[in-house]
Amino acid sequence: MSKLFKDIYDYREMIFSLVRRDLRGRYKGTVLGFLWTFVNPLLQLLVYTLVFSYILRMGIDSYYIFLIVALVPWIFFSGTINGGCEVILGASNMVKKIYFPREVLPLAYTLSSFVNMLFSFIVVFAILLFSGQGINFVALLYLPLIMLIEFILALGMALLFSAMTVYLRDLQHILGIVMMAWQFLTPIMYSEDMVPENLRGVWRLNPMTSVITAYRDILYYKQVPHINTLTEAAVLGILLLVIGELVFRRLQRNFAEEL
Amino acid sequence: MGINTENNEEIAVEVRNIRKCFKIYADHANQLKDRMLFWKRNRYEERKVLDDISFDVKRGEAVGLIGENGSGKSTTLKLLTKIIYPDSGTIKMNGRVSSLIELGAGFHSDMSGRENIYTNAAIFGLTKKEIDARLEKIIEFSELEEFIDNPVRTYSSGMYMRLAFAVAINVDADILLIDEILAVGDAAFQAKCFNRLREIKAKGTTIVLVSHSMGQIEQLCDRSIWIHEGKIRMEGAPRDVHPHYMDYMADVTERVSEKRKQATEQENEQAGPAAEENTKTTTEEQGDLQRYGNQKAEITSITLNRADKQNCNTLRSGEDAEIVIAYKAHEIIKNASFGIGIFRNDGVQCYGTNTVIDQLQEFDLDGIGTMTIKLEKLGLLQGSYSMDIAIECDQGIPVDYYKNAIQFDVTSRINDVGVMRVEHKWNLETKNG
């Protein structure tokens, strides 16, 4: 394990250069360019707010704030999985020809999505300030922690799916559907108390439930997240990262032959 | 020096009992549908590439891997780089590894040469600081100063390879793995690369090199490992191993050319006409001027003999051989002469002579007979050759001028280079004081 960390550390420049290239290339050739980082979540916010504030009325105060503080982290998570599952396939030329710790690829992708989320948070904070919602600075101290936990979780998933997609390319398409279902099964557009009591246990198994709940506690309810929520999120996140890495390590041995 | 002796004894590469099979799928199923519906499609054939290979490379040692195509030497190198993994057995690499196997991995054609140096070097595990420190050296080595800020897509393939090589060789690895890449760029750049490798070796870098050039290995390596059909067949000083390997390869070449000969003979037999005319028909097919002359006499057969073997297609450099030309004269040819011309397969004439040049009395030909040319200590170097054979009369009137009359190979244990061997002896005299 410590060898893996050392390896990754040795290859930090490669990770940075991949992240830079990815961030630069993400919106390359588009008219709005980097602005898409802000426009994309705003447009999604607009659609969901229209539907859930005016048609399927949820009866939640300042629904758009309720929504965006969950939506931006979700876009990071689902984007990491949808795009991350292809990183090994996409770099097959390098994987077949040269050694580097293969973990570098999903890690760099997760990092660049994460940086992208940080930029999107500019929009979130702008909305919080201009809407008069305001910010609780004590609660805000927990924001980096929950971001780190979400990062760990997303990295675990990226490792898992990037390795599996090499062997089963259908996964790219399957994951598109899975992520849509996952979005509806996570309390993003609704709150956790709306889930029927007897199903809540199942909801809690979804690692994103506690992550989103924590984001919402900090930014919408302006309160320090419940310690249970944080622990659950951290335990599930680390567990999935370990599983992801174990599967990845097992599967990566044959990458060069499978590609 | 004293401190280093202990380190020198350390093992840099430790390979223990590695085995590797490649799965050759009849039809590779990567899609879920195929995986579920057609289990049978996942049937594969296992091809054993490496079968129980073990060896050590000491720190600072340079080892050459030799062997036929498909013998498993490149697979061994790929296993050392950890691109692929063995089915069983262990590999330990002590130190930073750099591989010159596939150059320019991760090059981006839209980025400039300079930017690509950074990305490419990062893939080798260098940090930004380390790359900054090497940047000048890399650019200088690649000789691309004027073009370094142009996008790589504007480079010629030679420039591309030079840049890639310059990055890889300046990584300053502890262990350098090289696969047949010293064929980069022009002769001058190759020499430069080779010199750089020597410098690197002198600095104590461990090198594992796969090459078909025995010369390169002898110049650079302390030890050769001959891998044959996935096993180590022989191991030792290059000077000891290579002659055996060359002998083996000569046998292989011989078998191949014999097969070729048999195949053409069979074809000719199937074609029907008597052996005498065969030579004619085949040459006529090849072109109008393959064979010309007044045909008052003709060459009916050409045979190459070796000391240990009659009628063969492979001669050995430095050993005796003979050419036997059988002819048939349809009428009396006065003042006849014989001539030969030997050409390397790239068209270079290596040698040519005739009986007039060699100041033999001109003679008359009548009926049938043979002319034998004895070649002592064959001065041709390793390669493929063809021979022109001619009968002429009256100082140069062609009777039967037969171009490309026979093709043959020469194998050699000696690695000298050039067009032909010049007999020589070395003698060193030193004057002390």
Side-chain angles (χ1 to χ4, degrees), chain B residues 295-298 327-333 365-369:
Chain B
Q295 300 294 332
K296 285 176 183 166
E298 59 181 313
Y327 66 87
K328 182 177 177 187
H330 302 298
E331 55 190 80
I332 296 174
I333 315 283
L365 294 182
D366 189 12
I368 58 170

Side-chain angles (χ1 to χ4, degrees), chain A residues 3-12 14-15 18 88 94-95 98-108 159 245 248 252 255, chain B residues 81-82 85 122-126:
Chain A
K3 189 180 169 298
L4 177 70
F5 285 124
K6 189 187 167 295
D7 248 12
I8 300 274
Y9 182 72
D10 284 345
Y11 278 80
R12 58 192 180 280
M14 182 181 180
I15 296 170
L18 283 171
I88 307 281
M94 281 198 304
V95 173
I98 194 165
Y99 170 79
F100 54 86
R102 309 306 190 203
E103 284 87 354
V104 160
L105 293 171
L107 176 58
L159 283 165
E245 167 57 19
F248 190 91
Q252 66 108 7
F255 278 173
Chain B
T81 56
K82 287 193 277 182
Y85 291 78
I123 296 175
F124 281 110
L126 261 58

Side-chain angles (χ1 to χ4, degrees), chain B residues 14-26:
Chain B
E14 188 188 295
V15 177
R16 286 287 172 275
N17 309 94
I18 52 168
R19 285 168 206 275
K20 180 76 190 167
C21 287
F22 281 133
K23 291 170 185 164
I24 317 281
Y25 289 93

Side-chain angles (χ1 to χ4, degrees), chain B residues 6 34 108 154 180 192-193 202 215 218 233 258 267 322 341 351 387 394 414 417 432:
Chain B
E6 232 185 82
D34 293 343
H108 239 237
T154 63
E180 203 73 69
K192 190 169 155 185
C193 293
E218 270 161 37
R233 176 133 162 193
E258 228 146 73
E267 251 171 52
E322 60 181 26
Y351 190 66
M387 197 172 355
D394 298 324
I414 313 163
V417 295
N432 286 330

Side-chain angles (χ1 to χ4, degrees), chain B residues 49-53 71 226-233:
Chain B
V49 187
L50 292 177
D51 185 12
D52 198 15
I53 296 245
S71 60
W226 175 9
I227 298 179
H228 180 67
E229 288 173 359
K231 290 189 158 100
I232 293 180
R233 176 133 162 193

Side-chain angles (χ1 to χ4, degrees), chain A residues 11-207:
Chain A
Y11 278 80
R12 58 192 180 280
E13 181 56 30
M14 182 181 180
I15 296 170
F16 295 146
S17 107
L18 283 171
V19 170
R20 265 197 304 272
R21 195 201 281 180
D22 192 63
L23 284 176
R24 232 189 282 165
R26 202 169 269 232
Y27 302 113
K28 197 180 172 186
T30 59
V31 180
L32 289 184
F34 199 69
L35 279 179
W36 274 113
T37 304
F38 310 120
V39 174
N40 187 26
L42 281 176
L43 287 178
Q44 288 198 38
L45 179 70
L46 190 70
V47 173
Y48 289 124
T49 310
L50 269 177
V51 172
F52 292 105
S53 296
Y54 297 97
I55 301 165
L56 295 165
R57 284 177 213 176
M58 301 288 257
I60 293 171
D61 285 347
S62 340
Y63 181 74
Y64 64 102
I65 295 174
F66 176 85
L67 185 62
I68 192 133
V69 298
L71 195 58
V72 167
W74 174 259
I75 291 173
F76 157 60
F77 183 72
S78 70
T80 304
I81 293 177
N82 277 327
C85 71
E86 293 170 32
V87 288
I88 307 281
L89 282 179
S92 66
N93 260 336
M94 281 198 304
V95 173
K96 273 191 287 189
K97 290 175 177 174
I98 194 165
Y99 170 79
F100 54 86
R102 309 306 190 203
E103 284 87 354
V104 160
L105 293 171
L107 176 58
Y109 191 84
T110 312
L111 265 175
S112 85
S113 302
F114 187 74
V115 171
N116 217 42
M117 173 174 82
L118 293 183
F119 283 120
S120 298
F121 257 89
I122 296 173
V123 176
V124 176
F125 282 114
I127 290 177
L128 289 178
L129 291 174
F130 288 111
S131 65
Q133 166 78 9
I135 293 166
N136 173 355
F137 288 96
V138 179
L140 201 62
L141 291 176
Y142 289 85
L143 188 63
L145 179 65
I146 192 63
M147 279 178 166
L148 177 70
I149 292 172
E150 194 192 6
F151 177 81
I152 287 172
L153 182 63
L155 178 60
M157 303 305 279
L159 283 165
L160 185 70
F161 291 126
S162 64
M164 283 169 62
T165 306
V166 173
Y167 294 85
L168 190 65
R169 299 189 187 188
D170 298 54
L171 214 51
Q172 289 162 293
H173 306 288
I174 296 171
L175 280 174
I177 310 286
V178 169
M179 292 319 290
M180 189 187 77
W182 200 339
Q183 178 169 6
F184 283 102
L185 295 174
T186 306
I188 296 166
M189 290 165 255
Y190 50 90
S191 69
E192 209 193 332
D193 354 299
M194 291 168 145
V195 179
E197 196 85 45
N198 52 352
L199 282 178
R200 255 185 233 167
V202 183
W203 248 251
R204 298 250 99 180
L205 282 178
N206 171 3

Side-chain angles (χ1 to χ4, degrees), chain B residues 383-401:
Chain B
S384 292
Y385 296 88
S386 69
M387 197 172 355
D388 291 1
I389 293 178
I391 304 177
E392 297 184 333
C393 68
D394 298 324
Q395 312 260 339
I397 298 164
V399 175
D400 187 3
Y401 198 109

